[in-house]
């Protein structure tokens, strides 16, 4: 389900924002902002990328399989950050996490080009990664599965639109962080074994792996 972050501006503040937006288009596109007026902003949007046409190829297994229905929705979670250093927003960056197993560089370049054209954010300032879920449509040939071309044509513009929506949601923000642990549900799958005890890797043939 898509969720837009609510705006809590009064009508007066909205008028001011509209005026400033108009000013940005008429001012020198590379004019720096005075230090005392710099405002850090953040905008987020969760774009629904759940497939709408079935069956769809699923990768992440050793054999190709197909899905006939949706169990849980898939999203491209988009975050746009603006350091407020320039009037034209050239200091903006976008970070996107996509519910997908793996994605080709060529596909990501398509997304970045579309998003850049719509937002003005340079492609080299857009970072996209995958959650590595094994139950999402295949966007690349891997692990015994072909890519689902029909889904790729659907998801590329959707991710780009998510970045655009996140940019539109930019509001003054603060940076924070936290650390957590979940030892009960999360564990490392790597085993530390004595030399000579590990079996031969069935896929690569590596001994003592």
């Amino acid at each position: 389900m898509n969720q837009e972050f609510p705006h809590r501006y009064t009508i007066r503040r909205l008028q001011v924002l509209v005026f400033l937006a108009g000013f940005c288009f008429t001012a020198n596109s590379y004019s720096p902002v005075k230090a005392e007026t710099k405002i850090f902003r953040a905008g987020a949007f969760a774009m629904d990328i759940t497939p709408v046409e079935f069956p769809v190829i699923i990768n992440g297994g050793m054999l190709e399989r197909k899905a006939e229905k949706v169990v849980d929705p898939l999203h491209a979670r988009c975050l746009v950050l603006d350091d407020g250093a320039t009037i034209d927003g050239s200091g903006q960056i976008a970070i996107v996490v996509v519910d997908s197993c793996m994605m080709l560089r060529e596909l990501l370049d398509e997304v970045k080009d579309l998003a850049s054209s719509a937002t003005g954010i340079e492609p080299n300032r857009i970072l996209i990664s995958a959650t590595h879920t094994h139950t999402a449509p295949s966007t690349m040939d891997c692990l015994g599965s072909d890519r689902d071309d029909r889904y790729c044509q659907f998801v590329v513009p959707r991710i780009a639109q998510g970045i655009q929506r996140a940019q539109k949601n930019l509001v003054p923000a603060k940076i924070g962080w936290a650390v957590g642990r979940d030892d009960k549900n999360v564990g490392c799958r790597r085993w530390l074994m004595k030399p000579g005890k590990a079996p031969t890797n069935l896929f690569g043939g590596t001994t003592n792996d």
Side-chain angles (χ1 to χ4, degrees), residues 150-189:
R150 184 175 61 184
Y151 180 75
C152 289
Q153 294 174 2
F154 164 78
V155 78
V156 165
R158 295 287 290 180
I159 300 174
Q161 289 166 21
I163 297 172
Q164 186 178 8
R165 297 290 291 272
Q167 187 189 54
K168 290 181 178 179
N169 286 341
L170 281 169
V171 294
K174 294 182 180 180
I175 297 176
W177 62 89
V179 177
R181 295 183 63 87
D182 186 4
D183 297 326
K184 179 179 179 181
N185 298 304
V186 180
C188 180
R189 293 188 296 175

Side-chain angles (χ1 to χ4, degrees), residues 49-107:
I49 58 168
T50 308
V52 294
E53 296 185 71
F54 296 90
V56 63
I57 298 174
I58 304 295
N59 64 7
M62 296 307 163
L63 297 174
E64 183 171 297
R65 54 205 169 106
K66 294 184 178 180
E68 301 284 348
K69 63 179 181 179
V70 175
V71 176
D72 296 303
L74 304 174
H75 293 91
R77 293 171 176 83
C78 308
L79 180 65
V80 172
L81 304 175
D82 188 341
D83 63 2
T86 56
I87 293 175
D88 69 329
S90 58
Q92 293 180 6
I93 63 173
I95 302 173
V96 185
V97 180
V98 183
D99 283 329
S100 180
C101 185
M102 292 182 278
M103 297 177 289
L104 281 173
R105 176 61 181 268
E106 289 78 7
L107 182 141

